[in-house]
Amino acid sequence: MARKKTQAYTEEFRREAVKRAEKEGNTTASVARELGVSAQQIYNWRRQFNRLSDKQFNSLNGVDYTKKESEEISKLRREKAALEKEVDFLKKAAAYFANHQE
């Protein structure tokens, strides 16, 4: 007996299917019908992506970090940018008051 040939979907297709199914007003079944896949397949993809998300590695400047580390790096970069703005402001204020103290 011949085996049924299964369709191989790209990761981008699977992620988009999961995103569409999670949008408000959409159901997994309706998205599955639209895309020609079973609803169970979308549930499986969702579970797979959720399970992998914590273990998945993200590349940042050529270095691999876990998702948690990447989020922390992004947070630290935002904090650094805010602090740099604050330092620039304080430098300008100090220069202003130094010139107008006389």
Side-chain angles (χ1 to χ4, degrees):
M1 187 172 237
R3 269 189 127 176
K4 185 178 176 184
K5 186 176 180 180
T6 59
Q7 174 69 35
Y9 298 101
T10 65
E11 183 176 348
E12 181 180 341
F13 177 86
R14 293 179 293 171
R15 285 191 187 278
E16 184 62 30
V18 170
K19 269 191 223 173
R20 287 174 65 180
E22 290 175 344
K23 279 188 182 174
E24 196 171 324
N26 286 345
T27 64
T28 301
S30 67
V31 172
R33 268 193 307 278
E34 271 179 43
L35 298 176
V37 298
S38 73
Q40 185 59 48
Q41 188 62 63
I42 294 177
Y43 289 122
N44 290 343
W45 291 338
R46 180 182 295 141
R47 189 175 60 245
Q48 176 188 20
F49 292 136
N50 288 338
R51 188 174 350 114
L52 288 177
S53 66
D54 292 334
K55 299 174 187 165
Q56 196 168 15
F57 284 86
N58 298 321
S59 186
L60 212 74
N61 298 333
V63 180
D64 286 336
Y65 297 99
T66 63
K67 183 177 179 184
K68 184 179 176 184
E69 289 171 329
S70 293
E71 290 169 353
E72 186 177 352
I73 289 170
S74 296
K75 178 184 165 212
L76 292 170
R77 285 184 175 167
R78 284 190 304 271
E79 287 176 8
K80 178 182 176 247
L83 291 171
E84 286 174 343
K85 284 182 183 178
E86 189 176 333
V87 166
D88 287 342
F89 173 78
L90 292 173
K91 282 181 182 176
K92 289 176 185 175
Y96 174 82
F97 287 115
N99 288 336
H100 290 83
Q101 218 173 27
E102 299 164 4

